[in-house]
Amino acid sequence: MTKKLKLSLATQILIALFGGIIFGLILMETGQADFAAAYVKPLGQIFLNLLKFVVVPLVLTSIIDGVISLKDIKKVGTIGLSTILYYSLTTAFAVVGGLLSAHIFKGTFQLLQTTNLKFDPGKATGIMSTIVGLFPKNVLGPLVEANMLQTIVISLFIGFAIIISQEKGAPLAKLNRSIEDVFMVIMEMIVKISPYAVFCLITPVIAANGAEVIGSLTMVLLAAYVAYVFHLLVVYSFTVKVLGKTSPKKFFQAVLPAMVFAFSSASSVGTLPLNAACLENNLHIRKDVVSFVLPLGATINMDGTAIYQGVCAVFIAACYGINLTPGQLLTIVLTATLASIGTAGTPGSGMIMLAMVLQSVGLPVEGIALVAGIDRIFDMGRTVVNITGDASCAVIVNRREDLREAAK
């Protein structure tokens, strides 16, 4: 009797990714890109819809459970502050990396025509509006609208109240754990079909953009992806090794399925369940840490998006014949870092952030039109960086909590 070959999820997803790229190129060369958009992409969208369906209840129940597991409101605050500090610092490094990469490649950029450009970036909210927007008007609204920041706030309040209520809150804690377990099973069912989803998501992207990738914006894309890879392999390897005491090789092997899925889906929130599963199953990161750090990261950690801001700002300035001053470069770093707070982890969210960055240094917002056509290609890489940063933070916080408990 022959033994059945069983491929790991990461291997299956990689095979699907390369298969989708090949199929997309075939459709592009045969002029069938419309077929991919009409019949292949919807199948991938079904999978993303399923992920979005399971993400909100999972985030709600898992954070509540995580807060209850910590048993101390002060401890939750300490972890929260550490997480936000880490995300802010790595985002600042990311912007600097993007700017450096863009300046290295600046001489190779093919400058595009800037006349008759039009672009509506949408409205960016002010700092006070953002703070007010953290707090929900009702319980159901944030859950229905998938507002992750407000969902996190709801989870924290419920978790704190259960801790304070003690015995009175025990039945609700038990019900919450039961609901979480059920949605975890649903999530596992959904993740099993992720290789097929990856194939269906990447195929239409390649079919529609394959020709453009080797066109006039090649060097801009290359500058961004060099910065993406540098941030992944240098910054995260360093923090995971030094602060998390984990082998970078082991870390990247563990989160590879989530990274590949993030590349094809371009959605940080959509990758959240798979990222959590990779950390818990492959690296044995504590559930209470994963359930708190990852949802927060999927909402506010935008390292990949920050790299994109830096590269595109330099490219757009070059197209307009503008040389950015050191002061303007510093402004870009500060603006991109602060703007990452509250940016939703969904495809295309980088546009409003880029508009804010351009406005902060007096560059024409219309310049976004120069890169908007292939934003999806940028988005795929920056999402990989975003979710890997979330995972690295979970590893580091997990190590810190282990040390704290050992010191007791």
Side-chain angles (χ1 to χ4, degrees), residues 58-67 69-70 152 155 180 272 276 279-280 285-296 394:
L58 265 182
V59 168
L60 178 70
T61 56
S62 64
I63 292 183
I64 291 173
D65 191 49
V67 170
S69 300
L70 293 173
I152 291 171
S155 303
E180 181 188 10
L272 185 57
L279 289 172
E280 291 181 24
I285 304 299
R286 293 162 43 161
K287 188 175 179 298
D288 56 346
V289 171
V290 170
S291 62
F292 184 83
V293 171
L294 288 195
L296 188 61

Side-chain angles (χ1 to χ4, degrees), residues 47-359:
F47 180 78
L48 289 181
N49 288 347
L50 289 173
L51 278 179
K52 292 173 183 177
F53 146 70
V54 79
V55 161
V56 173
L58 265 182
V59 168
L60 178 70
T61 56
S62 64
I63 292 183
I64 291 173
D65 191 49
V67 170
I68 296 171
S69 300
L70 293 173
K71 299 178 181 178
D72 186 349
I73 295 177
K74 291 183 179 179
K75 190 176 179 181
V76 176
T78 301
I79 292 177
L81 288 175
S82 300
T83 301
I84 293 173
L85 178 62
Y86 176 80
Y87 287 151
S88 299
L89 289 175
T90 57
T91 298
F93 273 108
V95 187
V96 172
L99 291 172
L100 288 175
S101 181
H103 276 90
I104 291 172
F105 283 87
K106 186 176 178 181
T108 67
F109 290 162
Q110 180 176 335
L111 305 185
L112 305 180
Q113 181 59 250
T114 59
T115 57
N116 299 322
L117 284 180
K118 292 182 179 180
F119 185 80
D120 180 10
K123 293 182 179 180
T125 56
I127 182 64
M128 293 309 299
S129 297
T130 300
I131 294 173
V132 172
L134 288 173
F135 300 94
K137 298 177 182 178
N138 59 67
V139 174
L140 296 180
L143 307 183
V144 173
E145 298 167 6
N147 185 316
M148 299 306 295
L149 277 177
Q150 291 188 357
T151 298
I152 291 171
V153 170
I154 291 173
S155 303
L156 292 175
F157 272 111
I158 295 176
F160 293 157
I162 290 175
I163 291 175
I164 296 171
S165 300
Q166 298 182 349
E167 291 84 2
K168 292 181 180 179
L172 181 56
K174 186 176 181 180
L175 175 62
N176 180 79
R177 171 62 67 86
S178 179
I179 295 173
E180 181 188 10
D181 289 342
V182 170
F183 275 97
M184 283 296 294
V185 172
I186 296 174
M187 186 268 290
E188 290 170 2
M189 294 165 58
I190 296 172
V191 167
K192 285 182 179 178
I193 62 172
S194 58
Y196 305 100
V198 166
F199 179 89
C200 294
L201 289 167
I202 199 67
T203 295
V205 174
I206 299 300
N209 298 292
E212 293 183 40
V213 174
I214 58 175
S216 59
L217 293 170
T218 300
M219 301 313 295
V220 184
L221 282 166
L222 183 60
Y225 273 83
V226 165
Y228 291 156
V229 173
F230 179 85
H231 198 74
L232 285 168
L233 299 183
V234 177
V235 176
Y236 293 151
S237 291
F238 176 81
T239 57
V240 165
K241 178 70 174 179
V242 176
L243 302 178
K245 301 301 180 184
T246 300
S247 163
K249 181 179 178 181
K250 181 180 179 182
F251 170 73
F252 285 112
Q253 286 177 337
V255 299
L256 182 59
M259 293 173 68
V260 176
F261 181 77
F263 184 78
S264 61
S265 68
S267 173
S268 297
V269 172
T271 310
L272 185 57
L274 184 56
N275 204 12
C278 289
L279 289 172
E280 291 181 24
N281 299 333
N282 300 338
L283 289 177
H284 308 293
I285 304 299
R286 293 162 43 161
K287 188 175 179 298
D288 56 346
V289 171
V290 170
S291 62
F292 184 83
V293 171
L294 288 195
L296 188 61
T299 308
I300 70 171
N301 180 40
M302 298 289 161
D303 289 2
T305 308
I307 291 171
Y308 163 80
Q309 315 298 324
V311 171
C312 289
V314 172
F315 171 67
I316 292 170
C319 286
Y320 280 94
I322 299 171
N323 289 317
L324 296 172
T325 66
Q328 287 177 310
L329 294 175
L330 179 60
T331 300
I332 290 173
V333 174
L334 294 175
T335 304
T337 302
L338 294 174
S340 67
I341 305 298
T343 301
T346 52
S349 61
M351 285 296 180
I352 290 180
M353 278 184 67
L354 181 54
M356 293 172 65
V357 168
L358 295 180
Q359 289 171 335

